[in-house]
Amino acid sequence: MSETRDLMRMPSALRDADVFKQTITGRAFPMSGFTALDIDLHGDVAEGLARICRFGGAVPGNTYSVAQHCVIGADAAMEETRDANIAAYFLLHDAHEYVFGDMTTPVAKWLAVIADELYGGSAHGMVETLIATAKARLDMAIWRAAGMPPPGKTYRAVIADFDLRMLATEQRQLLMPAPKSWGTAIDAARPIAMRGRLSAWPVAKAAEAYRERLATLCPNARRV
């Protein structure tokens, strides 16, 4: 607690300069003022996402990673739409989680409830905005590092739909039977077309598959 109080007493500029996250390759990722030059897609992102569990680790058996989720979704998007941009944006859509982590939707909603209990008023919405803003800032740097412009509204809507369908497919194939409904949208979502059933990949396979899709779908991605 004393460390937290000491940090809060620091001038904001000093706090920003000192706060960083060490990446898997040993880099210091600045938590404020970062740019595309701080993003290592082939190293930090691929390896980091391959080690982050989907569903907060609730998948029985081996770890089902964010990297595998992104790769399978990108492949499915390419198969269905034949649009390499859609596939590329899906590959990148959760890349911010190598910094932010995979905060599950129930946890995010819980934090919003706590904020409302503590502060009332618009605090509930402020938590949602805070999380969305953090992810958006990371996304902007990631898209630049990948050599791609920010996706337009149409692409964003398509990616959101594929993400929902991936979530529903993963829930049905990987998790234990749901104790209650996850919501009408997920219950009604059309599954992703794929050959066979989902099974968790080893870390090395997930990271390498992510790098392979980067090479194919984001040929102008910056290499560190």
Side-chain angles (χ1 to χ4, degrees), residues 164-197:
L164 175 68
R165 292 172 57 202
M166 275 295 299
L167 172 66
T169 303
E170 292 161 346
Q171 183 227 21
R172 295 163 190 168
Q173 295 192 18
L174 294 172
L175 273 64
M176 296 294 288
K180 58 179 67 177
S181 171
W182 282 31
T184 303
I186 295 173
D187 291 344
R190 182 164 53 96
I192 292 291
M194 62 180 67
R195 299 175 183 85
R197 290 181 62 84

Side-chain angles (χ1 to χ4, degrees), residues 40-96:
D40 176 10
L41 290 167
H42 297 84
D44 290 332
V45 174
E47 294 291 342
L49 296 185
R51 289 166 170 80
I52 297 175
C53 306
R54 287 274 289 167
F55 301 104
V59 177
N62 295 326
T63 297
Y64 179 74
S65 70
V66 175
Q68 183 176 350
H69 162 79
C70 292
V71 167
I72 291 176
D75 288 351
M78 190 67 179
E79 181 75 19
E80 286 193 25
T81 69
R82 298 299 178 185
D83 188 326
N85 285 328
I86 292 176
Y89 284 125
F90 194 92
L91 185 72
L92 299 171
H93 83 286
D94 278 340
H96 54 249

Side-chain angles (χ1 to χ4, degrees), residues 200-222:
W201 296 343
V203 168
K205 178 178 179 179
E208 188 57 32
Y210 195 92
R211 278 189 286 268
E212 289 173 354
R213 301 315 187 277
L214 275 173
T216 302
L217 299 171
C218 307
N220 297 319
R222 176 178 176 271

Side-chain angles (χ1 to χ4, degrees), residues 29-168:
F29 182 87
M31 297 306 294
S32 180
F34 52 81
T35 71
L37 298 178
D38 295 301
I39 306 293
D40 176 10
L41 290 167
H42 297 84
D44 290 332
V45 174
E47 294 291 342
L49 296 185
R51 289 166 170 80
I52 297 175
C53 306
R54 287 274 289 167
F55 301 104
V59 177
N62 295 326
T63 297
Y64 179 74
S65 70
V66 175
Q68 183 176 350
H69 162 79
C70 292
V71 167
I72 291 176
D75 288 351
M78 190 67 179
E79 181 75 19
E80 286 193 25
T81 69
R82 298 299 178 185
D83 188 326
N85 285 328
I86 292 176
Y89 284 125
F90 194 92
L91 185 72
L92 299 171
H93 83 286
D94 278 340
H96 54 249
E97 292 185 4
Y98 95 98
V99 173
F100 195 85
D102 182 23
M103 180 181 288
T104 62
T105 299
V107 170
K109 290 181 177 180
W110 176 48
L111 293 178
V113 169
I114 293 174
D116 199 33
E117 291 172 351
L118 291 174
Y119 306 112
S122 60
H124 185 286
M126 288 176 65
V127 170
E128 296 174 352
T129 301
L130 177 65
I131 293 171
T133 301
K135 291 181 178 181
R137 290 181 180 180
L138 287 164
D139 286 342
M140 287 299 295
I142 288 165
W143 292 324
R144 291 191 186 103
M148 299 186 68
K153 289 184 179 179
T154 300
Y155 276 132
R156 289 175 188 264
V158 173
I159 298 308
D161 181 64
F162 267 100
D163 201 24
L164 175 68
R165 292 172 57 202
M166 275 295 299
L167 172 66

